[in-house]
Amino acid sequence: MPLDVMAVVLFAALLHAGWNALVRSSQDTFADTAFMVGGAALWAACLLPLLPMPAPASWPWLGASVVIHVLYFSLVALAYRGGELGLAYPLMRGSAPLLTALAATQLLGERLSPGAWTGIVLIGGGILLLAGDARRRGHLHLGSAALALANGAVIACYTLIDGRGARLSGSAFGYTAWMLLLSGLLMLLLFCLRRGRPELARLRGSGRRAVIGGAGTLASYTLVLWAMTRAPIALVAALRETSVVFALLIAAGVLKETVSRLRLAAIVVVGAGAIALRLLQ
């Protein structure tokens, strides 16, 4: 992987952890998630006139991506209602490659290398350590943990879909902009159906958060998809998992969450397992 691509992926990982922290710090996670995705859609709409149209071959992948991203954003909001960033985030990001590998062995009959099984063991052990630490401190919210794990499966799906779609599109930036524009509109429609149109007035009070979070959402995913057109998807996805470390730093330094030595060790183990699974399978 070229050094410039590596730097871009690391920056994207930081941005992703940052907008997740904004959602976690919210008093109404679903509303602010919808507004942030709406903010990303606004940024995307401004950029679209400057970007090429994705090639028709990528349109089915784009449509699937829009639907699955709305599910992803909804689960993010629900997971953070009762779960700490330092717990829910690594569960979501760490379980994605784990669930992908297990599904491949059970449903597709694929055989994994010893290195890949090492990654699975590391991720599984790290998740158990995270759950054990949260339970010991009385911070384990089973519903949030289950939602975070479910979102891991969603992440695994959209990683594969968008990795393929971006390559077929001929323009990773155009593909991402259309995906976020359509996802944002669908999220706002879902918000209106759940809360009613008058609730959209709250967007004025959350405008700054929506604009900043939307920019982070757009930039983080666009940069990752661009990197996937310049380097192997598995390598990009592996380096992308460093976001769990950035999330840990934000949780401790900004959100003032308690990060015990056991949680620190667990997150390092999850991150190492995710990287090993991406690189050694």
Side-chain angles (χ1 to χ4, degrees):
M1 182 184 298
L3 186 60
D4 59 335
V5 176
M6 183 179 297
V8 165
V9 176
L10 288 173
F11 181 59
L14 173 61
L15 289 176
H16 192 276
W19 78 255
N20 271 258
L22 281 176
V23 174
R24 177 61 187 88
S25 64
S26 170
Q27 297 298 315
D28 187 337
T29 57
F30 183 74
D32 274 351
T33 298
F35 295 158
M36 284 185 201
V37 183
L42 179 62
W43 283 106
C46 294
L47 293 173
L48 277 176
L50 307 175
L51 299 173
M53 186 72 180
S58 69
W59 292 356
W61 300 90
L62 179 61
S65 179
V66 169
V67 174
I68 202 166
H69 267 88
V70 169
L71 176 59
Y72 162 72
F73 288 123
S74 300
L75 288 175
V76 165
L78 293 172
Y80 286 139
R81 280 184 178 176
E84 295 179 331
L85 179 71
L87 176 62
Y89 191 86
L91 285 179
M92 282 188 278
R93 301 309 312 183
S95 62
L98 171 65
L99 294 172
T100 301
L102 293 177
T105 59
Q106 297 298 317
L107 301 178
L108 303 179
E110 293 185 0
R111 299 182 63 180
L112 300 179
S113 67
W117 281 111
T118 299
I120 289 176
V121 171
L122 286 173
I123 294 173
I127 288 174
L128 288 176
L129 285 175
L130 280 171
D133 176 69
R135 183 176 181 180
R136 179 177 60 85
R137 295 186 297 110
H139 292 172
L140 180 60
H141 190 285
L142 292 177
S144 294
L147 289 167
L149 290 172
N151 219 12
V154 174
I155 292 168
C157 290
Y158 80 59
T159 298
L160 296 174
I161 289 171
D162 286 341
R164 180 62 174 166
R167 289 187 171 183
L168 291 173
S169 69
S171 170
F173 294 107
Y175 179 92
T176 307
W178 275 104
M179 183 274 290
L180 285 174
L181 172 63
L182 297 174
S183 297
L185 293 175
L186 195 54
M187 276 294 294
L188 290 175
L189 175 61
L190 181 62
F191 178 81
C192 290
L193 292 175
R194 290 190 59 181
R195 303 285 185 87
R197 288 183 60 185
E199 280 287 309
L200 279 178
R202 294 183 51 193
L203 182 57
R204 296 179 181 177
S206 302
R208 184 178 179 182
R209 181 184 292 262
V211 170
I212 295 175
T217 302
L218 174 65
S220 64
Y221 204 57
T222 300
L223 293 175
V224 166
L225 286 186
W226 172 83
M228 287 180 176
T229 67
R230 297 295 187 275
I233 292 176
L235 293 181
V236 174
L239 189 59
R240 169 67 182 71
E241 303 304 341
T242 56
S243 61
V244 299
V245 177
F246 292 123
L248 172 67
L249 296 174
I250 294 172
V254 179
L255 301 181
K256 306 303 180 184
E257 293 181 4
T258 301
V259 179
S260 65
R261 292 181 179 179
L262 182 59
R263 174 170 291 190
L264 175 60
I267 290 176
V268 170
V269 170
V270 169
I275 292 173
L277 188 55
R278 298 288 192 187
L279 298 181
L280 301 178
Q281 58 182 327

